[in-house]
């Protein structure tokens, strides 16, 4: 049973296993990514239904650029297709679309379609769906470091003012709350350079299910598991219970 008051505000997902799913079904990797879009649809719908406020999906990492060109091209094509096909539906469901990552490095068509969908859904007050594209945690920490160095050099800030809160403000994801729950499908136990700064106290949930098989019911199961956990943030059990 899901209880409303302990719902995570922000869920982040590493959608892994498309390639293996395709292999299991005797098909090429692209087929797995295409089926992965079905899983995205179901999970976005489910997150909206239970009242999750932010959902961040790791759709393309900085490291994914190193995949074979045909796979990268197919993924970009799929993204364009999915954005075009789904925007209306997202809009109807009051979802607002956002993106994090080095968006300027994405093909121009992806940038344009993404910008269009973001603009169209920007006033929606339901789920905030955040696509991580050409994103990595280290990339954004480096971006923050560059900006901070610049501010120091130009005497805009003083060294003594540097603390966690200030660094957070220089991150490209500033404004996005830390996820309370990070789900990874596909049976691997890694965080793969995803939201490194933000997951300091995030609950991690791993499932062997391959992403194309993942559905909203699986998301609910993960949330249910999250609700049974005791989040101590470095304190003791006794301190938490008072
Ligand atoms: C990881 O599986 C998955 C990706 C790198 C791409 C995820 C993309 C989608 C689900 C489709 C488009 C997304 C949206 C938001 C419309 P993998 O290829 O690493 O699988 P493997 O570990 O089995 O090889």
């Amino acid at each position: 049973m899901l209880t409303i008051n302990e719902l995570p505000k922000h869920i982040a997902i590493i959608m892994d296993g498309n390639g293996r799913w395709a292999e299991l079904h005797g098909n090429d990797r692209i087929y797995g990514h295409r089926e992965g879009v079905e899983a995205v649809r179901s999970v976005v719908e489910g997150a909206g239904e239970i009242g999750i406020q932010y959902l961040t999906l790791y759709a393309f990492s900085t490291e994914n650029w190193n995949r074979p060109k045909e796979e990268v091209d197919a993924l970009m094509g799929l993204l364009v297709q999915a954005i075009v096909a789904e925007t209306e539906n997202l809009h109807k469901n009051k979802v607002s679309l956002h993106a994090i990552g080095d968006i300027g490095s994405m093909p121009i068509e992806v940038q344009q379609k993404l910008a269009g969908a973001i603009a169209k859904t920007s006033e929606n007050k339901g789920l905030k769906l955040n696509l991580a594209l050409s994103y990595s945690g280290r990339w954004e920490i480096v971006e923050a470091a560059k900006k901070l160095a610049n501010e120091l050099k130009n005497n805009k800030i003083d060294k003594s003012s540097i603390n966690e809160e200030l660094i957070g403000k220089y991150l490209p994801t500033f404004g996005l709350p830390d996820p309370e729950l990070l789900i990874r499908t596909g049976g691997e136990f890694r965080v793969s350079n995803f939201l490194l700064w933000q997951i300091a106290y995030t609950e991690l949930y791993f499932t062997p299910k391959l992403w194309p098989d993942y559905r909203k019911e699986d998301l609910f199961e993960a949330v249910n598991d999250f609700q049974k956990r005791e989040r101590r943030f470095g304190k003791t059990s006794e301190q938490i219970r008072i």
Side-chain angles (χ1 to χ4, degrees), residues 1-222:
M1 256 291 277
L2 296 179
T3 48
I4 298 290
N5 42 359
E6 286 139 27
L7 264 185
K9 192 169 164 190
H10 180 187
I11 299 179
I13 307 184
I14 301 176
M15 310 179 287
D16 195 20
N18 294 352
R20 278 164 287 161
W21 187 91
E23 201 175 315
L24 277 172
H25 290 78
N27 224 314
D28 58 15
R29 300 179 53 82
I30 314 304
Y31 179 65
H33 296 314
R34 203 167 295 129
E35 288 298 312
V37 178
E38 278 305 310
V40 170
R41 191 178 294 128
S42 174
V43 164
V44 169
E45 202 178 281
E49 280 168 18
I50 58 172
I52 301 299
Q53 296 179 43
Y54 298 84
L55 178 67
T56 300
L57 303 178
Y58 207 3
F60 194 83
S61 74
T62 307
E63 290 77 19
N64 286 153
W65 289 113
N66 300 321
R67 291 195 174 194
K69 186 176 180 320
E70 315 84 77
E71 185 171 344
V72 171
D73 290 348
L75 270 168
M76 295 301 147
L78 203 57
L79 263 168
V80 168
Q81 249 181 45
I83 295 166
V84 171
E86 299 300 329
T87 302
E88 201 49 52
N89 201 26
L90 293 176
H91 192 47
K92 253 189 245 150
N93 286 297
K94 312 264 184 296
V95 175
S96 64
L97 187 67
H98 306 262
I100 56 170
D102 188 7
I103 306 303
S105 70
M106 299 297 280
I108 195 73
E109 203 187 356
V110 175
Q111 291 187 43
Q112 286 168 345
K113 296 288 189 269
L114 192 62
I118 289 172
K120 186 174 169 69
T121 60
S122 66
E123 303 289 312
N124 291 338
K125 297 286 176 267
L127 174 73
K128 291 179 176 57
L129 172 61
N130 200 20
L131 297 184
L133 295 168
S134 195
Y135 172 87
S136 77
R138 286 185 176 179
W139 164 80
E140 79 160 327
I141 292 168
V142 169
E143 287 301 300
K146 284 184 198 164
K147 280 194 222 151
L148 204 54
N150 221 22
E151 300 274 69
L152 272 173
K153 192 173 130 215
N154 297 325
N155 292 318
K156 294 263 172 59
I157 54 166
D158 189 77
K159 191 175 139 202
S160 64
S161 67
I162 300 177
N163 55 23
E164 288 187 14
E165 194 191 342
L166 189 81
I167 293 179
K169 283 189 180 150
Y170 283 89
L171 291 173
T173 50
F174 175 59
L176 184 69
D178 293 348
E180 290 87 354
L181 174 63
L182 169 66
I183 299 170
R184 181 177 187 136
T185 65
E188 313 275 8
F189 303 100
R190 298 191 272 276
V191 293
S192 298
N193 215 346
F194 193 34
L195 299 171
L196 296 180
W197 177 269
Q198 298 85 347
I199 60 171
Y201 279 100
T202 297
E203 295 296 326
L204 308 179
Y205 181 90
F206 298 97
T207 166
K209 226 175 217 193
L210 303 174
W211 180 252
D213 286 331
Y214 206 75
R215 291 293 177 271
K216 60 170 116 169
E217 292 73 21
D218 301 300
L219 178 81
F220 301 159
E221 203 176 303

